[in-house]
Amino acid sequence: GQNIDQPTEMTATEGAIVQINCTYQTSGFNGLFWYQQHAGEAPTFLSYNVLDGLEEKGRFSSFLSRSKGYSYLLLKELQMKDSASYLCAVRSRTGANNLFFGTGTRLTVIP
Amino acid sequence: KAGVTQTPRYLIKTRGQQVTLSCSPISGHRSVSWYQQTPGQGLQFLFEYFSETQRNKGNFPGRFSGRQFSNSRSEMNVSTLELGDSALYLCASSPSAGHSAAEQYFGPGTRLTVT
């Protein structure tokens, strides 16, 4: 089966750094995605990891350890507009566009 | 380039009825995936179509079906609606067949309420 775990909610202060963790157990692995979803809107792509290590993209970074079934999303210099749900998703095999999603982490940024 | 469009955006149906939702992918994208999003379960994969063929299917009952047309537009149908089918239905398009980092681009969704 597939199992993806993320914290349900997190709160952080504007300007700070926050790390959102994701652990997964899937029958196969062909990439891990992070999406951002604002309330009432569609998810938007943030990052993709398929090899171990850190991928950096501006204020956002994502890390993957395949041996540990673990990833995190790091958000730096938090802004109020970063308040959203962050979804971790795993693609379990190549040649397929079906993603297994965690239930998401709702991040609230406070002044 | 226009994004993924879904119609209708909101829908209210009664138990036992059927419903058809439509998704137009980004121009040039041949893969369309459908997801159901509920507060308790999060995003769950329904099925994926690529070049008019269903390539993958999630763990949903046979009441949920779909198809894809030659222009890559896709429809999903839910028959004999149940209260538990109330959800946001999202479709996502991708340019690839799932071999690369090509991400899926999500549409705004159709909010279905079953009463």
Side-chain angles (χ1 to χ4, degrees):
Chain A
Q2 326 287 347
N3 190 50
I4 299 175
D5 285 320
Q6 311 176 229
T8 304
E9 294 190 19
M10 298 183 70
T11 301
T13 306
E14 191 176 14
I17 299 172
V18 70
Q19 177 174 312
I20 302 174
N21 295 324
C22 171
T23 57
Y24 63 89
Q25 291 174 305
T26 55
S27 55
F29 181 83
N30 190 245
L32 186 141
F33 296 78
W34 284 95
Y35 282 83
Q36 179 191 60
Q37 187 177 27
H38 285 98
E41 298 183 12
T44 55
F45 171 79
L46 288 178
S47 69
Y48 169 77
N49 296 70
V50 67
L51 299 176
D52 291 352
L54 188 69
E55 294 284 339
E56 296 185 84
K57 191 187 285 187
R59 295 190 299 116
F60 294 74
S61 303
S62 57
F63 172 83
L64 175 67
S65 169
R66 289 172 295 169
S67 62
K68 296 181 179 176
Y70 168 70
S71 173
Y72 68 71
L73 179 70
L74 195 70
L75 292 76
K76 304 174 188 174
E77 301 168 14
L78 279 173
Q79 302 175 8
M80 299 299 289
K81 67 178 182 179
D82 296 330
S83 292
S85 286
Y86 291 85
L87 311 174
C88 171
V90 172
R91 184 169 59 203
S92 63
R93 62 185 177 92
T94 188
N97 274 320
N98 54 312
L99 299 181
F100 294 96
F101 281 85
T103 51
T105 299
R106 185 160 57 190
L107 173 67
T108 301
V109 180
I110 57 176
Chain B
K1 205 180 223 186
V4 179
T5 58
Q6 292 186 246
T7 56
R9 291 294 311 279
Y10 302 92
L11 205 50
I12 300 175
K13 289 287 189 178
T14 306
R15 269 184 309 174
Q17 288 186 313
Q18 75 162 16
V19 67
T20 299
L21 313 180
S22 180
C23 171
S24 292
I26 293 171
S27 178
H29 287 195
R30 294 162 63 191
S31 167
V32 174
S33 298
W34 288 89
Y35 294 85
Q36 181 196 66
Q37 187 173 32
T38 57
Q41 300 293 321
L43 270 152
Q44 292 186 287
F45 172 75
L46 282 156
F47 28 66
E48 181 207 359
Y49 287 87
F50 186 84
S51 295
E52 301 179 66
T53 302
Q54 185 181 90
R55 294 201 308 163
N56 296 288
K57 192 175 191 303
N59 295 324
F60 278 81
R63 299 186 296 108
F64 292 80
S65 63
R67 59 178 175 168
Q68 187 180 33
F69 302 95
S70 58
N71 62 358
S72 294
R73 189 177 71 85
S74 177
E75 289 181 346
M76 70 163 279
N77 184 76
V78 188
S79 62
T80 322
L81 283 166
E82 301 176 1
L83 295 179
D85 297 332
S86 295
L88 180 67
Y89 290 88
L90 292 160
C91 88
S93 78
S94 175
S96 84
H99 296 282
S100 69
E103 64 264 32
Q104 295 186 37
Y105 297 83
F106 283 86
T110 294
R111 172 75 61 185
L112 172 65
T113 302
V114 182
T115 62

